[in-house]
């Protein structure tokens, strides 16, 4: 498989075409006709790979349910399907997979390779790749990875190559050391030098049997391979040179139909010219399906040929290629968006460049290829910034910025300055155009930035603006998303009671058929599932751990039914979190493991470290080295303020349990002073009190103040579960101080408030302590 530029998923499609021996469009039609059967499955266990494989092959029926899934889901299932098909085939026969030019790899194929590499040790597969030195990967530490540097040929190998090129005729013997010294053993340089000598008449004969016509003193070898290639191109007949240049403007890979439409030659002359260029080894026939295609022998050959085209002609050719693609592929324009954008940019057809860059960005975003999507959208915006500012260009820029937001969030993280700057600019445009409809997703994006940063008062203001805007219309989806902005903000602030009306309204509004598809437009996860897991979190905090568990199960079922990877991953994290709070370590570990197993898709990396922390906490192990590593990863990761608070509080408590309360207090000190206003505010105080008691010089008075403040804060928020934890800590302290009666009174009344969850760890602990105190 070889790479061109901007070819998301194309290399994997090429790989599958070769694997399934697809050579014509008739083969595609046959596959589409039989798509309901087991044509592509090797066994029943691979049935769920059929749809994503057909999608890659452009053979999936338009009414397939696979197309209705969210982009992240399609991406996840597609990468997993290719991996499973290849691993299954390796059980039948060993596989050799070759990927060339990884320095041009697209993000999706890179994601596939990163995942696939992990499976190679257990399968009879050899994965061979090549790349330029600037390419980077994370496989170097693998024991089963071997890197072979491709250096220039040593003298003996260069001599062998020249022997095969020149032959053993005595007259060429003195030429060999001259060429080896001049080219320093570069194979391409050697080959091109020999061709130059043949074309200039210095050598006569046939390959492997040349003889030197001129003396060595009359032979001049250009100093670089580029200059040799340029000289060879200049020596072509004018008609052949113009054809080669036209092919270079088309690209490294040259579809015959496109070259035919732009080269301004009749068919006979075109075929004859291509034959001569093939004989001279500038290009070669590379593909028959889905159409005849030529490729340049080497990327350097293409670069030199392209550089030899005068700027004015180059621009005209690019513009002509845009028109040819629009004409030849009129029914499949969307598939050619990236190519059209490339040529329109270089042809300075700016209006079309913006149009196709936007379309290419939308296609990349629909495949969850977010880095590519951001690149296309930002190029389009840069062109619009250079254009006259009219209502039309402002409107187009607003649409592009709205589409850019989710993709930028996915790769930068919502707290990043770039995300806010983009949404701020979008809001300026929406206000200038006075467009309420498009202002809503922009306001939602700005809310999301503020929420993830922990700027909760500002996030509440933004949420209220969203509610006001949604309530003035009749769009239930927008109203749902407006409430979706309020419930996590209020919950993260520790105002669970205030979040409940928004959660209940969200449940009432949510219609799976109507609203599950809008996940990609906003947070990237399903609002209905989000509502359930926040209800679980809030109900637990308010003192209803069994009700919380019921909501969590409903959220997990919905996430599983929807098949949204991000929705499922977040649901699994919340399930692990809830079971850990309930003291069910085994269940918490199971859900954490499931979430971490999904992490190879890379679309929710920021959740993984927090999940690994929960998994480690659930094991009961407390090793300083492991805790230090987790702390470093969490503090360096761009994550939401709420998740950062939860993770660092848990880490601080675990440091105390590991016998290092000083480190635990250092972790708490890293949290900002305003964190008491958050969901974990009372926990921060309680944990600090516990760490004070475990310090080398215990401070019982300060610890008591922490426990008392934690109780007061939790009581103010009606967060009974947090209040119970703080009350247990205070009762234990008073018990040690001989204040058993006070401890019993403080704890018994609170314990008597609970009506459910008596099998959870905190209530069992409270019951046992009350028994001791009585």
């Amino acid at each position: 498989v070889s790479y061109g530029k901007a070819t998301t998923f194309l290399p994997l499609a090429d790989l599958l075409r070769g694997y399934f021996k697809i050579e014509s469009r008739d083969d595609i039609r046959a596959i589409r006709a039989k798509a309901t059967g087991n044509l592509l499955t090797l066994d029943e266990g691979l049935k769920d790979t059929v749809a994503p494989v057909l999608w890659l092959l452009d053979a999936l029926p338009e009414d397939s349910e696979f197309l209705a899934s969210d982009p992240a889901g399609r991406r996840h299932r597609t990468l997993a399907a290719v991996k499973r098909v290849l691993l299954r085939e390796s059980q039948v026969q060993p596989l050799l997979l070759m990927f060339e030019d990884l320095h041009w790899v697209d993000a999706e194929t890179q994601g596939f390779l990163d995942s696939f590499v992990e499976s190679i040790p257990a399968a009879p597969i050899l994965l061979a790749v090549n790349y330029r030195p600037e390419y980077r990967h994370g496989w170097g530490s693998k024991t089963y990875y071997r890197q072979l540097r491709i250096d220039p040929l040593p003298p003996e190998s260069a001599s062998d190559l020249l022997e095969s090129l020149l032959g053993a005729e005595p007259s060429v013997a003195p030429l060999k050391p001259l060429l080896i010294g001049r080219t320093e053993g570069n194979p391409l340089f050697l080959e091109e030098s020999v061709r130059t000598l043949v074309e200039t008449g210095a050598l006569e004969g046939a390959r492997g049997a040349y003889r030197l016509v001129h003396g060595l003193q009359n032979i001049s070898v250009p100093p670089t391979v580029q200059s040799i290639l340029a000289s060879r191109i200049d020596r072509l007949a004018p008609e052949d040179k113009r054809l080669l240049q036209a092919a270079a403007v088309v690209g490294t890979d040259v579809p015959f139909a496109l070259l035919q439409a732009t080269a301004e030659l009749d068919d006979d002359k075109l075929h004859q010219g291509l034959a001569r260029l093939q004989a001279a080894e500038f290009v070669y026939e590379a593909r028959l399906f889905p159409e005849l295609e030529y490729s340049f022998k080497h990327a350097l050959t293409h670069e030199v040929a392209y550089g030899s085209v005068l700027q004015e002609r180059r621009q005209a050719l690019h513009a002509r290629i845009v028109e040819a693609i629009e004409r030849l592929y009129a029914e499949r324009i969307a598939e050619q968006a990236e190519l059209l954008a490339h040529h329109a940019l270089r042809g300075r057809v700016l209006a079309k460049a913006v149009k196709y860059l936007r379309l290419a960005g939308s296609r990349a975003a629909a495949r969850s290829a977010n880095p590519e999507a951001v690149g296309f959208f930002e190029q389009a915006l840069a062109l619009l910034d250079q254009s006259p500012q009219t209502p039309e260009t402002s409107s187009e820029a607003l649409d592009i910025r709205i589409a850019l937001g989710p993709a930028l969030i996915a790769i930068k993280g919502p707290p990043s300055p770039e995300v806010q700057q983009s949404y701020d600019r979008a809001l300026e445009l929406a206000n200038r155009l006075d467009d309420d409809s498009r202002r809503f997703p922009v306001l939602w994006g700005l809310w999301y930035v503020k929420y993830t940063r922990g700027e909760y008062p500002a996030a509440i203001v933004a949420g209220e603006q969203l509610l006001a805007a949604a309530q003035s219309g009749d769009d239930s989806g927008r109203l749902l998303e407006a409430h979706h902005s309020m419930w996590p903000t209020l919950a993260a602030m520790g105002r669970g009671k205030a979040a409940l009306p928004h959660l209940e309204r969200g449940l009432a509004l949510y219609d799976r058929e109507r609203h599950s598809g809008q996940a990609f437009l906003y947070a990237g996860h399903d609002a209905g599932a989000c509502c359930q897991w926040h209800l679980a979190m809030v109900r637990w905090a308010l003192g209803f751990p069994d009700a919380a568990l019921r909501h969590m199960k409903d959220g997990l079922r919905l996430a599983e039914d929807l098949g949204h990877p991000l929705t499922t991953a977040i649901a699994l994290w919340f399930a692990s979190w809830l079971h850990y709070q309930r003291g069910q370590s085994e269940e918490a570990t199971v859900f954490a493991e499931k979430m971490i197993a999904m992490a190879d898709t890379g679309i929710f990396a920021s959740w993984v470290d927090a999940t690994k922390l929960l998994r480690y906490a659930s094991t009961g192990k407390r090793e300083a080295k492991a805790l230090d590593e987790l702390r470093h990863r969490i503090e360096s990761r761009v994550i939401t303020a709420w998740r950062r608070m939860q993770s660092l509080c848990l880490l601080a408590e675990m440091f105390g349990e590991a016998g290092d309360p000083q480190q635990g207090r250092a972790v708490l000190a890293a949290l900002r002073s305003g964190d008491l206003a958050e969901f974990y505010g009372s926990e921060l105080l309680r944990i600090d009190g516990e760490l004070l008691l475990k310090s080398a010089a215990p401070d019982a008075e300060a610890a008591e103040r922490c426990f008392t403040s934690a109780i007061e804060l939790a009581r103010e928020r009606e967060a009974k579960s947090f209040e119970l934890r703080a009350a247990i800590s205070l009762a234990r302290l008073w018990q040690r101080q001989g204040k058993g009666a006070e401890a019993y009174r403080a704890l018994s009344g609170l314990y008597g408030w609970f009506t459910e969850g008596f099998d959870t760890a905190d209530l069992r602990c409270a019951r046992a302590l009350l028994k001791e105190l009585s």
Side-chain angles (χ1 to χ4, degrees), residues 449-466:
V449 169
K450 298 178 194 310
Y451 162 70
T452 54
R453 286 181 179 172
E455 298 170 3
Y456 298 128
I460 288 292
V461 172
E464 288 171 346
Q465 289 178 320
L466 286 167

Side-chain angles (χ1 to χ4, degrees), residues 188-341:
L188 177 65
F189 202 171
L190 284 168
E191 289 182 339
E192 295 299 331
S193 297
V194 170
R195 287 195 189 93
T196 295
L197 293 173
V198 172
E199 290 172 1
T200 56
L203 290 172
E204 290 183 350
R207 181 186 174 99
Y210 288 117
R211 62 184 181 82
L212 189 63
V213 176
H214 304 302
L216 286 181
Q217 67 275 11
N218 297 321
I219 290 177
S220 175
V221 179
T224 66
V225 68
Q226 289 93 335
S227 57
I228 282 188
L229 288 167
S231 297
R232 290 193 62 219
I233 291 170
D234 283 341
R235 282 194 297 273
L236 288 170
E239 195 173 72
D240 289 350
K241 180 178 180 180
R242 286 180 64 82
L243 177 59
L244 183 67
Q245 289 175 331
V249 176
V250 171
T252 306
D253 300 315
V254 189
F256 176 78
L258 203 51
L259 184 60
Q260 187 180 38
T262 55
E264 298 179 311
L265 293 172
D266 60 45
D267 285 354
D268 286 342
K269 288 185 177 180
L270 179 59
H271 283 290
Q272 292 166 9
L274 284 169
R276 288 191 293 272
L277 293 177
Q278 282 184 273
E281 297 193 44
F282 284 109
V283 298
Y284 61 92
E285 197 175 86
R287 182 184 298 179
L288 298 175
F289 172 80
E291 58 186 335
L292 177 61
E293 185 172 285
Y294 291 84
S295 284
F296 277 80
K297 180 187 176 183
H298 194 280
L300 199 57
T301 309
H302 172 261
E303 290 173 13
V304 173
Y306 185 80
S308 70
V309 188
L310 294 176
Q311 179 64 36
E312 185 177 347
R313 182 173 180 241
R314 184 188 304 172
Q315 184 173 315
L317 279 170
H318 279 300
R320 195 183 306 156
I321 290 168
V322 171
E323 295 174 358
I325 295 173
E326 289 175 327
R327 184 174 66 257
L328 291 169
Y329 307 106
E331 296 180 359
R332 296 185 290 130
I333 285 293
E335 296 175 21
Q336 307 295 325
E338 294 92 340
L339 195 59
L340 282 162

Side-chain angles (χ1 to χ4, degrees), residues 31 231 433 470 504 555 592 619 632 659 675 741 773:
I31 287 174
S231 297
L433 295 167
E504 290 164 355
T619 65
H632 172 73
D675 282 331
L773 292 169

Side-chain angles (χ1 to χ4, degrees), residues 232-508:
R232 290 193 62 219
I233 291 170
D234 283 341
R235 282 194 297 273
L236 288 170
E239 195 173 72
D240 289 350
K241 180 178 180 180
R242 286 180 64 82
L243 177 59
L244 183 67
Q245 289 175 331
V249 176
V250 171
T252 306
D253 300 315
V254 189
F256 176 78
L258 203 51
L259 184 60
Q260 187 180 38
T262 55
E264 298 179 311
L265 293 172
D266 60 45
D267 285 354
D268 286 342
K269 288 185 177 180
L270 179 59
H271 283 290
Q272 292 166 9
L274 284 169
R276 288 191 293 272
L277 293 177
Q278 282 184 273
E281 297 193 44
F282 284 109
V283 298
Y284 61 92
E285 197 175 86
R287 182 184 298 179
L288 298 175
F289 172 80
E291 58 186 335
L292 177 61
E293 185 172 285
Y294 291 84
S295 284
F296 277 80
K297 180 187 176 183
H298 194 280
L300 199 57
T301 309
H302 172 261
E303 290 173 13
V304 173
Y306 185 80
S308 70
V309 188
L310 294 176
Q311 179 64 36
E312 185 177 347
R313 182 173 180 241
R314 184 188 304 172
Q315 184 173 315
L317 279 170
H318 279 300
R320 195 183 306 156
I321 290 168
V322 171
E323 295 174 358
I325 295 173
E326 289 175 327
R327 184 174 66 257
L328 291 169
Y329 307 106
E331 296 180 359
R332 296 185 290 130
I333 285 293
E335 296 175 21
Q336 307 295 325
E338 294 92 340
L339 195 59
L340 282 162
H342 167 83
H343 290 294
L345 267 174
R346 284 152 185 79
R348 302 302 294 168
V349 191
L350 298 187
K352 287 186 177 181
V354 171
K355 172 185 173 181
Y356 291 124
L357 283 167
R358 179 180 169 184
L359 179 57
S362 298
R363 281 171 52 80
R367 296 189 294 263
S368 228
N370 293 303
E372 286 84 358
V374 168
F376 288 129
F377 288 140
E378 289 185 340
Q379 284 185 80
L381 289 169
L383 289 179
L384 287 173
D385 285 343
Q386 300 168 21
S387 305
Q389 298 304 297
T390 66
E392 290 73 21
T393 57
S394 295
S395 179
E396 189 152 24
L398 176 56
D399 284 336
I400 292 171
R401 287 205 176 272
I402 290 171
L404 170 65
L408 201 57
I409 285 171
I411 62 172
K412 295 285 188 179
S416 71
E418 294 95 327
V419 174
Q420 173 150 3
Q421 290 165 9
S422 183
Y423 275 117
D424 283 341
R425 179 65 180 133
L427 186 59
E428 291 174 14
L429 292 167
N431 290 337
R432 183 191 307 166
L433 295 167
D434 195 22
D435 190 323
D436 290 334
S437 176
R438 288 185 287 177
R439 190 181 286 115
F440 186 90
V442 175
L443 289 173
W444 204 98
L446 286 169
W447 162 78
Y448 196 43
V449 169
K450 298 178 194 310
Y451 162 70
T452 54
R453 286 181 179 172
E455 298 170 3
Y456 298 128
I460 288 292
V461 172
E464 288 171 346
Q465 289 178 320
L466 286 167
L467 269 176
Q471 287 168 344
S472 65
D474 58 357
D475 188 329
S476 64
R478 288 193 168 182
L479 187 56
L480 172 63
E481 292 299 337
H483 286 288
H484 188 183
S485 72
M486 294 297 288
W487 73 60
T489 308
L490 291 166
M493 295 174 74
R495 295 172 58 187
K497 203 78 170 179
L500 278 178
H502 297 284
L503 287 161
E504 290 164 355
R505 182 67 176 133
L507 271 187

